[in-house]
Amino acid sequence: MSYHAPIAEMQRLARRLGHDRLAETERFAEATAETRDAVLSEAARMAEEVLAPLNRGSDIEGARLENGVVRTSPGFDEGYRAIAEGGWVGLSADPEHGGMGLPRSLGVMVNEMMSSACLSLSLCPLLSGGQIEALEVHGSDALKAMYLPKLTSGQWTGTMNLTEPQAGTDVGALRTKAEPEADGDGDGGYRITGQKIWISWGDHDIAENVVHLVLARLPDAPEGSKGISLFLVPKKLPDEEGRPGVANSLSVVSLEHKMGLHGSPTCVMAFEGARGWLVGEENRGLACMFTMMNNARLNVGIEGVGIAEMATQAALAWSMDRVQGRTPDGSATIVGHADVRRMLMTMKALTRAARAICYDCAFSLDMAGAAAEAAERAHHARRGAFLTPIAKAYGTDTGIEVADLAVQVHGGAGYAEDSGIAQYLRDVRITAIYEGTNGVQAMDLVGRKLAGDAGATALDLLAEARGTADAAATAEPALAEALHRAVSEAEGVTRTLAAADETVRGAAATPYLRLLALVLGGASLLRGAVEDGGPEESAIAAFHIEQLLPMAHAHAAAARADAGQLYALDADRLTASV
């Protein structure tokens, strides 16, 4: 199946969100519209011509472990070389260490293309990008000088090592140990011992070194998450000239056999007194790792959007070719059937709404670091932080729903593995789980974000949506009124939850996140219909607001429901009732 990068839609959305303002800042002065055009065109060429042809083969012949060495899918070495040599790993990295220094806003567009084309391979540079940001913020000068140029160029790749068999979401339960070296060379090294699981791209054969960021406990560290430190642990120890030298004391125990993402090696890693170096302050490792995780959460949301885009393209192509039954409008193929059209419009509307939320989040995170005025930086920092869990959860939920609809549009051919359609659903399913499950994202939204500022940021975002409805009142009065009603519903729930206790907010978390996503996504589509004025934009906005946005009222009702319903049965009685 061929992939065509939706550059025109990306460009329209970027202009609508105000991405051209980035070039007006000192930090991103080179991020002009012309630069964006050039970057997107070249990234699209790579995604379409180099990465997309690798996707199906990577599902059939995935990564494998041979005599302790991970071998990647056929063609992945050439594909990764194109990514590294094109400078895509360091697109947003600091130019001091070889990066392009371009906005995250542009990076998420490129990541979307790579995710659409070959999600398994795109994970590798995504993880490196997150590690680069973590080291830029928290690494010592010596670590930056040694590792950032190699990571930025793609010569070396990065991972994050959090999860252990007994410590998943509860990272504070980890047991991996770090002890200061007694026999080191005076460079402040540590010895890391423990096991980590679910380590994406923990080992491979497409780059000359793998650099792990590992959470571990120092001797006498406090219990729980307050006693965790972060360490950099390379697969091969650099020599005096910075070249990969002797092997470190770590190994791949096994690879996971997974539902999807067969081309992405998911490793069980054993650290057996491996040499490592502290990143950031002692016992502050979780805060350091969250720099990488927050970077990854937005990009995982974009992974969902990328798969949604690819699945939509595949379903549309199939529906235009598949002949089955008489259609009311006389179309020769199934695209004339009302239910097929309903599915295709749902796929398009969900994909574009999720894309808008992710791009908006990236723009605010860029402006949080680049705006000239402190007040504007603070505003965008709050806005970007608030949108991050929505972008991650809604982007990945959208990827799963749209991929599932693609299977349905294809019928039996979609369920059969030979068509390749099922791969999209299998591959994207993990995105709602890793980098913090979508339930965790919802809890973060109503806890740290909503309760943290008494609902102020949420109400600001909803005020923007109300402004969109006001602006559309003349051109699209019915759609504007429907959006007004949904905004009012969301504002009421926001005020209720902001004043509620933790139990009530927790019970309402997931429906509240979905409520906000529907309202914010619908507002973006309506704005596009009014400002861009094309027939496709108008049709998709009308479909979303008339057929998808009504679900916002159902989510509002669920968010207001009695929280006691979730806690009515204790664990024993709940189990007995199943």
Side-chain angles (χ1 to χ4, degrees):
M1 285 167 286
S2 60
Y3 164 66
H4 302 286
I7 293 180
E9 164 63 14
M10 291 177 167
Q11 290 279 36
R12 283 194 296 271
L13 182 54
R15 288 191 294 270
R16 193 158 74 238
L17 291 171
H19 284 194
D20 290 341
R21 289 182 56 205
L22 293 169
E24 300 172 4
T25 68
E26 181 178 355
R27 180 174 178 179
F28 297 125
E30 296 183 6
T32 62
E34 292 75 18
T35 298
R36 187 169 67 238
D37 290 345
V39 168
L40 293 183
S41 295
E42 188 60 25
R45 185 201 62 77
M46 178 191 64
E48 294 169 357
E49 299 177 10
V50 180
L51 303 186
L54 303 175
N55 189 54
R56 186 70 182 125
S58 72
D59 187 54
I60 296 169
E61 189 173 346
R64 63 193 187 279
L65 183 61
E66 292 183 349
N67 299 318
V69 177
V70 175
R71 305 296 183 189
T72 51
S73 299
F76 268 25
D77 50 350
E78 293 89 349
Y80 181 74
R81 192 175 308 120
I83 294 171
E85 292 178 355
W88 302 113
V89 180
L91 183 72
S92 300
D94 191 337
E96 181 181 351
H97 302 291
M100 295 187 191
L102 291 172
R104 189 189 312 253
S105 299
L106 197 50
V108 298
M109 297 180 190
V110 174
N111 285 339
E112 180 191 327
M113 294 184 200
M114 292 198 292
S115 297
S116 288
C118 187
L119 184 57
S120 285
L121 181 54
S122 73
L123 262 176
C124 185
L126 184 154
L127 288 162
S128 294
Q131 186 173 115
I132 289 167
E133 183 172 349
L135 289 176
E136 285 178 345
V137 175
H138 303 289
S140 67
D141 290 343
L143 290 180
K144 290 178 183 179
M146 175 63 73
Y147 290 93
L148 281 178
K150 301 295 178 62
L151 289 166
T152 300
S153 70
Q155 288 176 266
W156 298 355
T157 67
T159 75
M160 61 169 75
N161 288 247
L162 293 83
T163 307
E164 300 179 8
Q166 79 293 338
T169 301
D170 181 15
V171 179
L174 68 83
R175 298 171 185 161
T176 298
K177 297 179 180 180
E179 297 183 350
E181 284 187 323
D183 56 349
D185 54 12
D187 60 355
Y190 294 79
R191 293 286 178 172
I192 313 300
T193 302
Q195 186 180 92
K196 299 289 184 176
I197 62 173
W198 313 126
I199 309 306
S200 298
W201 286 92
D203 190 49
H204 54 78
D205 56 1
I206 63 174
E208 61 184 26
N209 205 0
V210 182
V211 182
H212 302 282
L213 288 185
V214 184
L215 290 177
R217 292 189 181 282
L218 290 164
D220 303 321
E223 294 294 324
S225 60
K226 294 182 179 180
I228 298 174
S229 300
L230 182 64
F231 300 88
L232 183 149
V233 185
K235 174 184 176 180
K236 296 179 180 178
L237 297 167
D239 63 19
E240 293 181 355
E241 297 181 0
R243 296 172 300 195
V246 299
N248 207 350
S249 301
L250 56 89
S251 62
V252 180
V253 176
S254 62
L255 297 184
E256 301 292 349
H257 299 281
K258 301 170 296 183
M259 176 179 176
L261 286 184
H262 296 154
S264 172
T266 303
C267 305
V268 176
M269 301 294 303
F271 297 88
E272 300 160 332
R275 294 200 72 197
W277 288 266
L278 183 68
V279 177
E281 300 177 18
E282 292 185 1
N283 302 324
R284 296 279 297 164
L286 203 54
C288 298
M289 185 65 92
F290 263 106
T291 299
M292 184 174 185
M293 290 181 68
N294 282 329
N295 175 296
R297 284 174 174 174
L298 172 57
N299 281 313
V300 169
I302 282 294
E303 288 181 344
V305 173
I307 292 297
E309 175 64 37
M310 185 65 243
T312 299
Q313 291 186 19
L316 182 60
W318 174 266
S319 69
M320 298 290 287
D321 185 63
R322 175 67 167 164
V323 176
Q324 195 72 203
R326 296 180 59 186
T327 62
D329 65 356
S331 301
T333 64
I334 63 170
V335 75
H337 288 296
D339 196 58
V340 173
R341 285 177 173 260
R342 177 193 63 80
M343 288 188 285
L344 292 172
M345 288 295 285
T346 300
M347 296 167 80
K348 279 180 169 287
L350 289 174
T351 301
R352 292 195 180 190
R355 178 184 288 125
I357 290 171
C358 289
Y359 285 17
D360 197 5
C361 179
F363 174 70
S364 267
L365 293 174
D366 281 330
M367 291 298 290
E373 300 297 328
E376 187 177 8
R377 291 196 301 272
H379 165 74
H380 280 290
R382 290 191 300 270
R383 197 174 184 278
F386 191 90
L387 285 172
T388 294
I390 303 176
K392 194 277 182 184
Y394 191 60
T396 57
D397 281 345
T398 292
I400 294 167
E401 182 173 351
V402 171
D404 185 59
L405 285 170
V407 172
Q408 190 71 17
V409 170
H410 282 77
Y415 191 69
E417 288 289 356
D418 289 346
S419 70
I421 299 301
Q423 179 187 351
Y424 299 129
L425 182 56
R426 290 187 287 100
D427 282 355
V428 78
R429 186 60 186 84
I430 185 60
T431 62
I433 299 172
Y434 62 23
E435 300 309 333
T437 67
N438 287 0
V440 167
Q441 303 306 313
M443 295 295 288
D444 176 55
L445 179 68
V446 299
R448 293 186 181 91
K449 308 299 166 51
L450 181 69
D453 67 1
T457 303
L459 292 171
D460 284 347
L461 285 164
L462 292 170
E464 293 176 22
R466 186 177 292 281
T468 296
D470 291 340
T474 299
E476 297 284 357
L479 300 183
E481 176 57 29
L483 180 58
H484 265 300
R485 290 195 299 270
V487 169
S488 295
E489 190 89 84
E491 288 172 337
V493 175
T494 295
R495 292 188 176 97
T496 297
L497 293 182
D501 64 25
E502 182 179 5
T503 300
V504 172
R505 289 198 306 272
T510 292
Y512 179 68
L513 187 150
R514 292 174 180 170
L515 164 64
L516 288 186
L518 282 168
V519 172
L520 299 178
S524 177
L525 294 181
L526 181 58
R527 181 180 173 188
V530 172
E531 295 183 6
D532 297 328
E536 184 181 18
E537 287 76 17
S538 297
I540 291 174
F543 181 87
H544 186 284
I545 291 175
E546 292 173 352
Q547 299 207 32
L548 302 182
L549 189 59
M551 290 185 286
H553 300 283
H555 290 310
R560 287 193 176 102
D562 179 11
Q565 295 169 354
L566 291 179
Y567 305 100
L569 299 178
D570 60 27
D572 291 337
R573 293 172 64 195
L574 180 63
T575 303
S577 69
V578 174

